[in-house]
Amino acid sequence: MVEVLQQIINGIAIGGVYVLIALGLTTVFGILGIAHFAHGSVSMFGGYLTFFFVTSWGFPLLLAILIALLVGLMLGVLIELLAYRPVRDANHINAFIVALGLTMMVEGINLELFGHEQVVIPTDFSRVFNFGGVTIPELRLYVILAAALLIAAMTVFVERTKTGQAIRAVAENRDAAILMGVNVKTIPLVVFAISTALGVCAGVMVGSLFAIAPGIGEGLVVKGFAVLILGGLGSIPGAVVGGLVLGITEALAAGFISSAYKDVIAFVVMISVLLFRPQGLMGKA
Amino acid sequence: MLNVSNLRVSYGAIEVIHGIDLQVNQGECVALIGANGAGKSSTLKAICGLVPATAGTIEFEGQDITNQSGHSIVKAGITMCPEGRQVFPQMTTLQNLKMGAYPRKDAEQAADVEEMMDMFPILRDRAGQAAGTLSGGEQEMLAIGRALMARPKLCIFDEPSLGLAPKIVAEVGETIARVKEMGKTILLVEQNSAMALRLADRAYLFEAGEIVLSGTGAELQSHPDVAKAYLGH
Ligand SMILES: Nc1ncnc2c1ncn2[C@@H]1O[C@H](COP(=O)(O)OP(=O)(O)O)[C@@H](O)[C@H]1O
Ligand SMILES: [Mg+2]
């Protein structure tokens, strides 16, 4: 039992990372209908940047994260303006190709700037908490708390603020949103800024919990899309439930079956769910 | 108040509005009638900035709004209840109403929500329900309420009675009459020409992207062409 709880806790930590990635993907998909494949690599860029500020410039961790976040906000705006906006009214395949090209470009930039060695963001959270035999490393606990906080903030933003409601409106019916007076040119900028900032947070979490290396971002974005489909396309609660289900399944598979097969097992579970609920766990039929 | 002159609209290479002129004066209710595909919706969409005008000008209160972005046209005081209602299906009735007030910054929005719910009591019963689950008639009331939440000067309705039961159609007609009494200027497109001409001070008849006839509601009602083609007698 303790073993199971232990794996579930581990699963919640990685699941939280998946949720943050998926939240960015789902809001972008919701308003623009594009699969933003570069999201994982951009997130890793944020992780690398944090690593660089901490190790090369000796910044305190929080300051490094803060700067990486600001860079993420701006990067999101630039990506929307320069990469996706020009193909907005074109055939969907164009945006698809832009997304793939952007992924290669960002992976290339990461490789050029930060090298091919894997890096771990150093933190001094070395304590380990013990709750009746279930151990939680301090860092893992903070990652879970931070993810929970960000998910809550995102939910409140979308549900309770005017801008959040405008984002929902554009996702549900773009023309009607225009008739409500929503500026549909600025909303995608806001969405990309927020999504990228959430991605940077995920990148920092991966970089401190595990490691960042070339290719990790691409793997992560595939997981992110898996979460979207599992949870229900365009649904924020779906992204949260889907991310946690995927994370916990993976952790249980790694702990009790084989860590080499954890991805396979996770995808088998996902496909099984979709056989019975093709619209995803929280999606509308 | 609204002055459209020589408006042309195209979709790709195909022109569907071939240079029309129409006016709406302050406090008037003006109806656009005509067969399906005659270009009524395209005209309204050009006014609201949803499709570009390829030629001509659209002026609102003396200000040129031709090809302005949709949100600035809303700010100028024009809102539209679009064809097919277009409520936000996953938002609640209340959230839909609040979306209507999106451009406003004043503190009276909550009071206006109450006013809309007094005007359409069914919306109060459905306040917490996803708008997509409302009946067609309820969605139409919501769409009208949502448009009024912007406190527009000019209210545009595109086929508000389309697909509704006869009893609800009459209710929609009464609602539009009430909106007029509130002092709003109205531009109304209706398949139900009899109802439109009864409500309208003036009307324009569209045919294949052109205006072929205009006059007071009563004049068009008794015009032989209109009577034969649209009023069924
Ligand atoms: N999005 C569009 N793309 C191409 N053609 C369109 C589009 N919308 C309308 N049309 C065409 O424009 C013409 C006018 O349509 P519309 O303005 O909807 O007429 P109405 O509202 O009077 O029924 C029709 O021939 C219609 O097929
Ligand atoms: Mg129409």
Side-chain angles (χ1 to χ4, degrees):
Chain A
M1 193 57 212
V2 167
E3 259 297 285
V4 174
L5 277 179
Q6 183 71 58
Q7 292 306 338
I8 288 178
I9 299 276
N10 294 346
I12 291 175
I14 183 68
V17 172
Y18 292 158
V19 173
L20 293 183
I21 291 287
L23 281 179
L25 292 173
T26 206
T27 38
V28 165
F29 183 84
I31 57 148
L32 294 176
I34 52 173
H36 175 35
F37 282 114
H39 191 54
S41 310
V42 173
S43 303
M44 290 309 119
F45 176 79
Y48 274 124
L49 213 55
T50 306
F51 169 80
F52 174 79
F53 288 141
V54 170
T55 56
S56 296
W57 289 358
F59 285 4
L61 182 64
L62 276 181
L63 179 67
I65 295 175
L66 198 69
I67 299 174
L69 266 178
L70 292 177
V71 172
L73 286 171
M74 287 186 288
L75 206 59
V77 167
L78 286 179
I79 289 173
E80 202 279 323
L81 272 182
L82 301 179
Y84 291 119
R85 182 159 301 191
V87 295
R88 202 206 101 77
D89 294 318
N91 195 313
H92 261 57
I93 191 88
N94 295 22
F96 181 73
I97 288 167
V98 166
L100 292 183
L102 193 64
T103 311
M104 289 188 228
M105 216 172 97
V106 177
E107 282 289 316
I109 290 172
N110 284 347
L111 201 60
E112 196 60 40
L113 289 180
F114 306 107
H116 61 270
E117 300 282 345
Q118 74 166 34
V119 304
V120 177
I121 301 170
T123 64
D124 27 69
F125 306 129
S126 52
R127 283 182 293 171
V128 175
F129 301 110
N130 191 321
F131 300 95
V134 180
T135 58
I136 309 179
E138 191 180 6
L139 174 62
R140 200 157 284 218
L141 184 66
Y142 293 160
V143 164
I144 292 173
L145 291 177
L149 200 71
L150 288 167
I151 293 164
M154 184 68 180
T155 309
V156 169
F157 170 71
V158 170
E159 286 295 322
R160 298 259 174 258
T161 68
K162 237 173 155 161
T163 307
Q165 288 289 294
I167 291 171
R168 275 187 77 185
V170 175
E172 290 193 20
N173 188 328
R174 190 169 186 274
D175 274 358
I178 295 175
L179 293 175
M180 300 299 108
V182 174
N183 184 339
V184 289
K185 287 212 158 66
T186 55
I187 291 295
L189 295 176
V190 175
V191 165
F192 264 90
I194 293 173
S195 298
T196 309
L198 287 176
V200 167
C201 293
V204 172
M205 290 172 180
V206 170
S208 50
L209 272 182
F210 311 104
I212 312 173
I216 299 267
E218 290 155 301
L220 204 56
V221 89
V222 172
K223 293 282 172 67
F225 279 114
V227 166
L228 285 205
I229 295 164
L230 181 63
L233 222 50
S235 154
I236 288 183
V240 176
V241 174
L244 291 177
V245 167
L246 186 65
I248 291 170
T249 309
E250 271 184 22
L252 290 174
F256 296 107
I257 305 172
S258 146
S259 74
Y261 285 105
K262 72 175 169 53
D263 288 351
V264 177
I265 294 162
F267 277 97
V268 166
V269 168
M270 193 187 109
I271 290 164
S272 316
V273 169
L274 292 178
L275 282 178
F276 294 101
R277 275 190 73 82
Q279 73 274 35
L281 290 168
M282 310 286 276
K284 304 268 182 301
Chain B
M1 181 183 225
L2 180 75
N3 204 336
V4 176
S5 56
N6 189 32
L7 174 70
R8 288 174 185 272
V9 174
S10 303
Y11 295 106
I14 300 164
E15 187 178 270
V16 297
I17 304 291
H18 313 293
I20 59 161
D21 298 282
L22 69 88
Q23 284 81 40
V24 181
N25 300 315
Q26 174 89 45
E28 257 187 333
C29 175
V30 171
L32 310 182
I33 59 171
N36 234 331
K40 306 177 298 293
S41 295
S42 301
T43 303
L44 300 185
K45 283 181 183 168
I47 294 170
C48 294
L50 292 180
V51 300
T54 44
T57 54
I58 303 166
E59 272 178 27
F60 182 66
E61 296 192 308
Q63 190 191 340
D64 185 2
I65 58 163
T66 324
N67 291 332
Q68 296 275 308
S69 54
H71 67 96
S72 53
I73 293 172
V74 174
K75 277 219 183 80
I78 301 179
T79 51
M80 174 156 82
C81 258
E83 199 170 356
R85 343 211 186 284
Q86 318 270 350
V87 296
F88 300 111
Q90 284 165 43
M91 290 190 187
T92 64
T93 298
L94 182 62
Q95 285 172 326
N96 267 274
L97 282 176
K98 286 183 175 167
M99 255 333 275
Y102 181 78
R104 288 171 52 184
K105 296 207 163 57
D106 59 274
E108 290 155 38
Q109 294 167 35
D112 279 13
V113 168
E114 283 304 307
E115 202 183 314
M116 287 310 134
M117 289 183 166
D118 290 339
M119 190 166 165
F120 307 107
I122 190 69
L123 297 186
R124 193 185 303 280
D125 302 339
R126 302 275 185 264
Q129 201 173 318
T133 64
L134 269 53
S135 74
E138 290 164 357
Q139 287 190 14
E140 186 58 51
M141 299 305 162
L142 176 55
I144 296 174
R146 187 181 64 173
L148 292 175
M149 283 297 295
R151 292 192 170 177
K153 297 173 194 158
L154 173 64
C155 246
I156 300 179
F157 297 97
D158 194 354
E159 310 248 12
S161 75
L162 193 70
L164 299 180
K167 185 170 149 272
I168 314 286
V169 172
E171 216 173 295
V172 169
E174 283 160 31
T175 304
I176 292 170
R178 262 162 85 193
V179 173
K180 196 184 166 200
E181 279 162 26
M182 290 164 70
K184 306 282 182 203
T185 308
I186 295 173
L187 181 55
L188 170 67
V189 165
E190 255 300 336
Q191 277 289 299
N192 187 337
S193 306
M195 177 171 112
L197 294 177
R198 213 167 40 242
L199 287 166
D201 301 307
R202 287 189 308 112
Y204 295 88
L205 175 62
F206 274 64
E207 239 175 66
E210 296 184 52
I211 290 175
V212 293
L213 205 61
S214 66
T216 65
E219 276 166 13
L220 260 69
Q221 231 168 343
S222 56
H223 193 284
D225 290 359
V226 176
K228 199 165 69 209
Y230 301 102
L231 303 176
H233 48 73

